[in-house]
């Protein structure tokens, strides 16, 4: 690995007048330059959660205090099971209680849940205020903070209520990954691994060679994983911001994964764990459709296992899986649409016979 | 008035790839051509309320039944006091219960509340599905259904949570105005009158000459009022979709009006009644700022009264008015921004000394 100072430290998301940069480096939270050039405003609101607040909120508040006259803070409960309207409304309550106007800048300090919910609050408060993503989990740094998908869950489906709404900047301070629990590190690696089979076999090789370094949190390995993941995501999102086609490939493993999350109850498995296991199912579906061979499916499955992720799904029953997947956002006229590998390194979206899906579920659940 | 068949029956909102037409004529609901060219989908969802459903839902359902495999319906409680998250969530519940996918087209059949709430549901369901405005009140036909402002209320402020999200079409069937209660007809006339002093003195002349015809629901007079109102709104929205400047002039009377609505409790006064009275206050503020003379202020106030609208506000107390107006979306860093007349036929946005606003409130409330 080259030293982290010599690699590019930012990735550009090119979306015309909604373009923005992803900054990736250790120590960014405390560096003044990190916050240069953001929209001017009288007030900022930091949205974080009970786990992250004691670790990083003071650092962010100090950095923002020199730039905004008032810096408010709202601390949400931690966990996917709180990604709902009640929690979202706490942000609106805070904004209105503090008299925040339509120039107020929101800062999402936390993982994917904080980022998704804060982004939707920013999209909706007074019909839209600016926001900045400050992801503190690997999963949020490599995936959820980038690309403008914001949402809350509905009891009948994950991320069903939300907006495409781009942040003004994404700040990935690699130091924040030091405090991440092992289980969440593994969950983040699921989304890193994802980019290999769908888009970049060289990156898949690299992850296989560096999985041990990633698991021991080598900062150069993490920097490369975050940067390359963001580059691939930036490329896809730049071509299809609102998921009218190509962007759906980023949901590899997510159709099965969302069913696991909803079926077990949100928060039981971490999102990344469900995606890891969902990828195993999507690999097997691709194999049964004759698109990839068993060797490739096994190779990626082995890597998922080495990352510390589950490769066998919960036994919800095939009918329950199918029912949950029919409300997936990719479904059309009741037909489930799966992201499959069209071959190693290439993905697409297809329907599949229920019988085949039942076979996959029988193989991959216990 | 020329016969309605000879005047242009549609107005274009020019917003690039978000452009759409407003159709204006009697009998549109039942005419097949009204619904040609909308996005293809398996399902449609009609969102309406308990007042409008028995009058027009069957007609719309029949028209849509030939175009969509399933036509679902959700009937909301009627009234501004229901423009909240609980009611919005009934739309999401219906969409998910029916397994509606991201191509589903929503139809907002009703007044401003149904349009605003359905528009926000369409903006947010699966991060955005198409929707069509089918306004059945004069207020919705001349103002709220056009231009893509969607929202729900928060206990601390009106329209605080929403999105800029354009409909695919607006269908103003003038026949629906026949069943409108007199009080709601007057409320709609407040928004019609608004366009005169802010943008078009010839239109103000025309409204003065035709107020009796409008009140007796002459269909040609209504057609002209709706069309000219939509033309002015289309022109303003085409220049400033997201209200970064010019568009704010369309909120003439609304800063005071929103305070009346919130102060009395939503639903006590109709939105148009509050706007009518709010315009009287805004006229007096403009006069006290030396921007218009008393004769012009009185001329417009007389027209508001002739339309059957209140011209004296409720005695909430000046401090309560000021407190409520500070959370207005136009406020910046705690300073209230008022839409005032810069002269007859021209509007702008300005701050004003609290003392002056107190004088206006003392003059205009009882």
């Amino acid at each position: 690995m080259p030293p982290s100072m010599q690699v590019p430290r930012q990735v550009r998301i090119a979306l015309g007048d909604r373009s923005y940069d992803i900054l990736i480096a250790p120590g960014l939270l405390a560096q003044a330059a990190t916050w240069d050039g953001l929209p001017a405003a009288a007030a900022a609101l930091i949205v974080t959660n009970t786990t992250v607040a004691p670790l990083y909120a003071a650092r962010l508040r100090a950095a923002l205090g020199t730039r905004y006259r008032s810096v408010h803070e709202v601390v949400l409960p931690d966990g996917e099971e709180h990604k709902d309207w009640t929690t979202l409304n706490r942000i609106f309550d805070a904004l209105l209680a503090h008299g925040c106007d339509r120039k107020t800048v929101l800062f999402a300090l936390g993982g994917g849940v904080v980022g998704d919910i804060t982004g939707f609050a920013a999209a909706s408060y007074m019909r839209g205020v600016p926001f900045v993503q400050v992801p503190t989990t690997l999963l949020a740094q490599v995936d959820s903070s980038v690309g403008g998908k914001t949402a809350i869950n509905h009891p009948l489906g994950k991320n069903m209520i939300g907006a495409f709404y781009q942040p003004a900047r994404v700040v990935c301070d690699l130091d924040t990954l030091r405090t991440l629990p092992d289980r969440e590190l593994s969950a983040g690696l699921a989304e890193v691994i994802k980019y290999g089979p769908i888009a970049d076999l060289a990156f898949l090789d690299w992850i296989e060679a560096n999985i041990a370094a990633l698991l021991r949190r080598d900062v150069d390995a993490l920097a490369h994983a975050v940067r390359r993941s963001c580059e691939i995501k930036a490329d896809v999102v730049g071509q299809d911001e609102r998921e009218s086609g190509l962007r759906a490939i980023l949901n590899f493993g997510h159709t099965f994964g969302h069913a696991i999350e909803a079926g077990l109850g949100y928060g039981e498995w971490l999102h990344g764990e469900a995606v890891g296991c969902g990828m195993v199912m999507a690999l097997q579906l691709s194999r049964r459709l004759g698109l990839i061979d068993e060797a490739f499916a096994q190779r990626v499955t082995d890597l998922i296992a080495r990352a510390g992720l589950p490769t066998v799904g919960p036994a919800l029953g095939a009918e329950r899986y199918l029912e949950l997947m029919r409300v997936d956002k990719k479904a059309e006229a009741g037909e489930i649409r799966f992201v499959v590998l069209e071959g190693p390194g290439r993905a697409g979206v297809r329907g599949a016979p229920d019988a085949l899906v039942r076979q996959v579920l029988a193989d991959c659940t216990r």
Side-chain angles (χ1 to χ4, degrees), chain A:
Chain A
M1 285 295 306
S4 59
M5 297 306 291
Q6 294 176 7
V7 299
R9 292 156 62 101
Q10 64 189 58
V11 175
R12 180 86 176 158
I13 306 277
L15 290 169
D17 60 3
R18 296 182 303 286
S19 297
Y20 56 95
D21 289 319
I22 309 164
L23 311 186
I24 303 160
L28 287 174
L29 272 179
Q31 289 164 19
T34 303
W35 316 104
D36 282 348
L38 289 174
L45 176 73
I46 298 171
V47 181
T48 183
N49 68 29
T50 49
T51 307
V52 175
L55 297 168
Y56 302 111
R59 208 177 297 177
L60 180 56
R61 180 185 275 275
L64 300 182
T66 61
R67 291 169 192 265
Y68 300 94
R69 206 159 63 208
S70 329
V71 180
H72 308 291
E73 194 174 309
V74 57
V75 181
L76 306 177
D78 189 10
E80 184 79 33
E81 66 274 30
H82 298 293
K83 190 172 150 183
D84 60 11
W85 169 257
T86 305
T87 307
L88 175 68
N89 208 34
R90 290 186 52 181
I91 304 176
F92 296 134
D93 289 346
L95 286 164
L96 284 162
H98 292 302
C100 290
D101 63 27
R102 58 162 65 148
K103 298 199 160 179
T104 306
V105 185
L106 271 58
F107 290 81
L109 176 70
V113 172
V114 166
D116 281 9
I117 204 165
T118 305
F120 188 43
S124 307
Y125 183 63
M126 295 194 175
R127 302 195 184 92
V129 296
F131 85 114
V132 176
Q133 291 275 20
V134 190
T136 60
T137 67
L138 182 59
L139 185 136
Q141 293 189 356
V142 300
D143 184 45
S144 63
S145 71
V146 173
K149 278 194 181 181
T150 74
I152 56 173
N153 298 329
H154 183 283
L156 295 178
K158 190 173 155 76
N159 294 334
M160 283 294 160
I161 302 164
F164 288 100
Y165 193 72
Q166 301 295 339
R169 187 169 298 168
V170 180
V171 175
C172 301
D173 185 335
L174 298 171
D175 285 345
T176 62
L177 302 181
R178 290 191 198 163
T179 51
L180 201 61
D182 288 342
R183 192 178 160 193
E184 296 220 27
L185 185 75
S186 291
L189 287 173
E191 300 278 9
V192 175
I193 291 168
K194 172 186 80 178
Y195 293 107
I198 65 167
D200 186 348
L201 292 178
F203 188 45
L204 182 63
D205 292 340
W206 181 90
I207 303 167
E208 286 179 319
N210 289 275
I211 189 74
L214 290 166
L215 285 167
R216 70 169 180 266
R217 302 176 199 225
D218 177 281
V219 73
D220 291 325
L222 288 170
H224 181 76
V226 174
R227 196 180 63 252
R228 185 66 197 130
S229 297
C230 287
E231 283 170 354
I232 296 170
K233 182 146 189 184
D235 184 45
V236 171
V237 170
Q239 292 177 61
D240 178 23
E241 182 182 8
R242 296 180 71 90
E243 196 166 314
S244 41
L246 177 68
R247 184 169 177 164
I249 67 167
L250 298 175
N251 268 338
F252 182 61
H254 285 59
T255 304
F256 289 106
H258 287 169
I260 294 172
E261 287 184 87
L264 289 176
Y266 295 119
E268 191 61 34
W269 281 26
L270 295 175
H271 173 66
E273 291 171 336
V275 167
C277 184
M279 286 194 288
V280 174
M281 294 171 176
L283 286 160
Q284 285 305 319
L285 183 63
S286 306
R287 181 186 66 79
R288 284 184 180 271
L289 285 166
L291 301 167
I292 57 168
D293 61 23
E294 174 60 21
F296 188 75
Q298 197 54 53
R299 178 187 165 192
V300 181
T301 301
D302 286 348
L303 182 57
I304 292 166
R306 286 175 66 203
L309 293 160
T311 56
V312 175
L316 306 172
E319 293 318 307
R320 180 73 176 133
Y321 269 99
L322 288 165
E323 178 186 74
L324 288 163
M325 293 193 292
R326 279 197 193 94
V327 296
D328 184 83
K329 289 190 288 302
K330 289 183 294 301
E332 273 182 35
E335 193 203 23
I336 308 167
R337 311 275 295 162
F338 294 93
V339 183
V340 295
L341 298 186
E342 299 290 347
R346 291 182 298 121
V349 180
R350 300 191 177 206
D354 278 3
L356 212 62
V357 177
R358 283 197 187 88
Q359 288 177 340
V360 168
L361 290 166
D363 288 351
C364 298
T365 61
R366 193 164 51 232

